[in-house]
Amino acid sequence: MAIQLGDTAPDFTAETTEGRLSLHDYLGDSWGLLFSHPADFTPVCTTELGEFARRKDDFARRNVKLIGVSVDAVDSHRRWSNDIAETQGTALNYPLVGDEDRSVANLYGMIHPNAIATATVRTVFVIGPDKKVMLTVTYPANVGRNVDEIIRVIDALQLSSTYPVSTPVNWREGDEVIISPALSDDEARERFPKGFRSLKPYLRLTPQPEG
Ligand code: BEZ
């Protein structure tokens, strides 16, 4: 069965560009971003993996560790990293699994045979510090992912794992957030001293909590 939100991210041990590692040990207490790409030495993937590398500090500031997967060999990943550095300005700086036997791809349902039979599609899994899967997204091979959007969702997930809030449509860092309907108005006033505006009893907006 496909991996679903709230599942424990299955652990695996695999060869990567940074040596043999186990997912859970690698992540430790951090959040994780596990993603797959279809193939080394292909155009969209080159731009994406370069951007993930260029934004590594943005992920690190959010306590998120990156790890990529494709069915190419580790040696291929290493050679491709030179092209990524040359064309995108940053070489690979996170582990990339060489999943030649497809064990990780199969474990995570990264191969969608009706789209591409022989390679992984563009999957994204955000994993919380408790190893629970908090986001899954799948893109087809011909559409590159948006790293700003991935970071936006991580910000939203981290906010709602810290405070009893959720984020409205098109939310961005610094925008108002929605107070959990589970809180009474009195509890909301206590929890959110900046106050809130109530559009409906179930739709109460408050400035984004800080910290
Ligand atoms: C690409 O990265 O451009 C790509 C990879 C596999 C299939 C199609 C496109």
Side-chain angles (χ1 to χ4, degrees):
M1 194 169 87
I3 292 174
Q4 299 186 326
L5 301 185
D7 290 354
T8 297
D11 198 14
F12 60 79
T13 300
E15 298 297 336
T16 81
T17 46
E18 299 189 4
R20 192 167 176 79
L21 61 73
S22 295
L23 178 70
H24 287 193
D25 285 349
Y26 167 67
L27 294 180
D29 295 331
S30 299
W31 290 63
L33 182 74
L34 170 69
F35 56 91
S36 60
H37 69 277
D40 296 355
F41 300 102
T42 54
V44 176
C45 300
T46 300
T47 62
E48 283 189 321
L49 272 75
E51 181 67 1
F52 282 127
R54 203 177 64 75
R55 305 290 295 274
K56 186 178 178 182
D57 286 351
D58 291 332
F59 287 105
R61 262 197 299 283
R62 292 161 172 84
N63 193 27
V64 178
K65 287 186 177 174
L66 305 175
I67 178 166
V69 179
S70 84
V71 300
D72 301 286
V74 166
D75 184 52
S76 163
H77 293 333
R78 293 207 174 105
R79 284 184 285 111
W80 182 40
S81 182
N82 296 328
D83 288 6
I84 294 173
E86 184 187 323
T87 62
Q88 310 302 310
T90 312
L92 294 177
N93 52 16
Y94 45 81
L96 195 52
V97 172
D99 191 34
E100 289 176 278
D101 68 1
R102 303 185 188 184
S103 55
V104 176
N106 288 331
L107 187 63
Y108 274 83
M110 292 168 166
I111 295 179
H112 296 204
N114 294 326
I116 319 176
T118 55
T120 45
V121 289
R122 300 185 197 283
T123 64
V124 177
F125 297 86
V126 174
I127 302 168
D130 57 0
K131 310 290 180 296
K132 298 289 186 203
V133 174
M134 302 192 74
L135 175 83
T136 65
V137 196
T138 305
Y139 283 66
N142 54 350
V143 179
R145 285 160 283 201
N146 184 323
V147 175
D148 286 333
E149 169 60 6
I150 293 171
I151 287 176
R152 186 193 77 87
V153 178
I154 289 170
D155 283 343
L157 288 169
Q158 293 188 339
L159 198 59
S160 56
S161 71
T162 309
Y163 300 96
V165 298
S166 41
T167 48
V169 61
N170 296 339
W171 176 85
R172 293 193 164 277
E173 178 73 22
D175 288 353
E176 287 180 314
V177 297
I178 295 171
I179 298 172
S180 165
L183 264 61
S184 69
D185 280 358
D186 283 346
E187 288 168 329
R189 266 186 283 277
E190 198 173 310
R191 197 72 206 266
F192 301 102
K194 288 183 183 162
F196 59 87
R197 57 195 186 95
S198 190
L199 303 183
K200 289 284 177 189
Y202 58 84
L203 178 51
R204 297 168 297 175
L205 293 158
T206 189
Q208 178 181 324
E210 282 155 29

